[in-house]
C-alpha cells in the first residue's frame, strides 16, 4: 500500500512538473518561487521586480491554469 501511495505521489509530481513547463514564464516563475521555494510575496516581488499585488495576481492565474492543464491531462479526477 505504501508503494502505491508513493507511486501516486510521484505521478502527481511529474504531472505538476509537466504542467508547470507549459505555463508562460510570467506565471511559472512566481508560483515556483512561492509554492515550491517557499518565498513570500514580498520576496518574489523583489526577485522578479514586479509589484507585490502583481505577484498575487500571477500566482492565482497560475493556479487556475495549472488546474485546467492537470484536469485536461487526467491528472485529477475532480
Amino acid at each position: 500500500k505504501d508503494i502505491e501511495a508513493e507511486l501516486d505521489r510521484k505521478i502527481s509530481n511529474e504531472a505538476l512538473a509537466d504542467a508547470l513547463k507549459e505555463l508562460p514564464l510570467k506565471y511559472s516563475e512566481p508560483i515556483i518561487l512561492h509554492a515550491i521555494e517557499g518565498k513570500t510575496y514580498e520576496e518574489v516581488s523583489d526577485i522578479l521586480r514586479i509589484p507585490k499585488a502583481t505577484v498575487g495576481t500571477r500566482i492565482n492565474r497560475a493556479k487556475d491554469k495549472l488546474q485546467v492543464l492537470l484536469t485536461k491531462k487526467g491528472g485529477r479526477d475532480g
Side-chain angles (χ1 to χ4, degrees):
K1 191 171 183 178
D2 290 337
I3 293 170
E4 282 181 33
E6 180 66 21
L7 185 58
D8 286 346
R9 188 186 61 75
K10 186 175 181 185
I11 291 169
S12 294
N13 287 344
E14 288 173 5
L16 180 59
D18 288 345
L20 278 169
K21 290 176 192 168
E22 291 186 39
L23 285 182
L25 202 56
K26 75 178 193 174
Y27 297 124
S28 64
E29 281 183 327
I31 199 163
I32 288 169
L33 287 168
H34 178 66
I36 297 173
E37 295 185 15
K39 307 281 188 212
T40 64
Y41 279 25
E42 189 73 43
E43 291 170 321
V44 175
S45 170
D46 291 343
I47 291 166
L48 299 180
R49 294 185 173 89
I50 58 176
K52 197 163 96 170
T54 304
V55 171
T57 299
R58 289 187 182 174
I59 286 173
N60 286 330
R61 289 184 182 160
K63 287 178 183 176
D64 291 342
K65 290 176 183 300
L66 284 171
Q67 188 168 2
V68 169
L69 287 168
L70 289 170
T71 301
K72 198 187 304 180
K73 290 175 184 285
R76 291 200 177 166
D77 290 336

